[in-house]
Amino acid sequence: MEFELTEEQRLLHQTVRDFSLKVIAPGARERDSKGEFPRELFKEMAGMGIMGMIIPESYDGACLDYISYTIVLEEIARVDGGMALSVSAHNSLCTNHIYLSGTEDQRKRFVIPLAKGERIGAWGLTEAGSGSDAASLQTTAVLKGDKWVLNGEKVLITHGSVADTYVIMASTDRNRGKKGISAFIVEKGIPNFKVGRVEDKLGMRGSDTASLIFEDCTIPDANLLGRINEGFIDALKILEGGRIGVGAIAVGIGRGALEEGLRYAKERRQFGQPIANFQAIQWMLADTATELDAARLLVHHAAFLKDHGVRCGKEGAMAKLFASEAAMRATMKGIQIHGGYGYTKEFPVERYFRDAKLCEIGEGTSEMQRIIIAREIFKTDP
Ligand SMILES: Cc1cc2nc3c(=O)[nH]c(=O)nc-3n(C[C@H](O)[C@H](O)[C@H](O)COP(=O)(O)OP(=O)(O)OC[C@H]3O[C@@H](n4cnc5c(N)ncnc54)[C@H](O)[C@@H]3O)c2cc1C
């Protein structure tokens, strides 16, 4: 594994960093306070190739490798965790699932407009009764003639109320459990599909989250995604890559707290000197810098394996687990360094703290990551 970024990756890093600071950062606080998803910004980001990052150029994607993908997510999350979450759900969950499992016709009809950012993507697995135990989902899809009839409700879906194209996992054979789940492409505006509750969240507030309701909703057989009864297996593969992205988002949010902490420590004076002179403050920042570097290495290692076609379930889980917990520690310390002002909305660290929490929950909680890691390490004889 290379420890240096390539010339292209360095250039991409700089370009996205500039764009994030100039275009994404200025509205982050307002998006957080209003809890509004910014459609215009989404389009502007699409113009940078950010909506089809891991899709080949032949489908209008930017054809980035996974390490580059994590670099982009980290830089966006550095200024706005909510936008990074939206970008990751659109790219790695919805668009990538259709690209990897879709027919040529589905790739042309759905992947191209998603990659160009003309449509917004969402991916629905979670239900009220099935989160960590996702295979126990209750939404059903029954084939009637040449149409599928969907019934059920999905909850906590990123872009639930703003998406145009949805990938929905539903049971097609109840007796077969996780081997009886299939994926479907559902388009906005079709009859008997409606958006339910839009969530008022703790953090990631610029990213839309809503429930989806299907009541005898009919979709054409042509919208079955992948092979019948293999939707859950495909979903697990999608989550394997998704977790690497959440790890990168966590590193980005943590870095936000680190950089704000460094800045504040140099400016804030107590006892006649900058608080940066106090070893207690220096150690908090030193610990954060060390943990975030370690987290980034785990993220890049998992991304490197993914780029080389190696299964990376354990490594992706380790990256997400460590990075999200490091981000929580980083943002808590960031608030501590800011003292009382860190507890107010005058500085962005309290937002980073709220945003970071999602990384320990979304795309599998920290407990589930530990289960994945434990399962893998017990397979290997010491
Ligand atoms: C902002 C946001 C965006 C999201 N976006 C999407 C999306 O786009 N698509 C989608 O499908 N889902 C999405 N989700 C849902 C998310 O993936 C789930 O919330 C997550 O997987 C956890 O499921 P749950 O909320 O049902 O928690 P539960 O599964 O009910 O877990 C509750 C607690 O029990 C613990 N627990 C559960 N099982 C075990 C076990 N076996 N051992 C130890 N502890 C256990 C969990 O770790 C957790 O601490 C999103 C969630 C949020 C908050």
Side-chain angles (χ1 to χ4, degrees), residues 85 89 93 123-127 130-133 155-158 201 209 358 361-365 367-368 371:
L85 178 67
L93 296 182
W123 190 82
L125 178 64
T126 307
E127 298 181 2
S130 61
S132 302
D133 181 15
V155 302
L156 292 169
I157 306 305
T158 299
K201 304 191 297 296
T209 315
L358 184 273
I361 298 170
E363 301 199 30
T365 62
E367 291 72 31
M368 298 315 291
I371 288 172

Side-chain angles (χ1 to χ4, degrees), residues 20-21 24-35 41 75-84 201-207 249-250 252-254 256-257 260 263 327-328 330-332 334-335 338 341-359:
S20 297
L21 288 171
I24 303 177
R29 182 175 171 177
E30 192 179 345
R31 286 191 289 277
D32 174 64
S33 76
K34 290 190 176 160
L41 177 58
E75 284 311 316
I76 298 173
R78 157 66 191 92
V79 299
D80 188 341
M83 283 326 294
K201 304 191 297 296
L202 172 75
M204 302 293 204
R205 290 173 53 79
S207 177
I249 294 172
I253 297 171
E260 293 298 326
R263 194 194 337 260
M328 282 308 289
T331 54
M332 260 195 295
I335 292 175
H338 283 70
Y341 292 110
Y343 202 65
T344 73
K345 294 202 185 286
E346 193 174 333
F347 291 94
V349 277
E350 62 82 34
R351 168 164 58 88
Y352 299 160
F353 175 69
R354 289 184 284 108
D355 287 351
K357 186 62 199 162
L358 184 273
C359 301

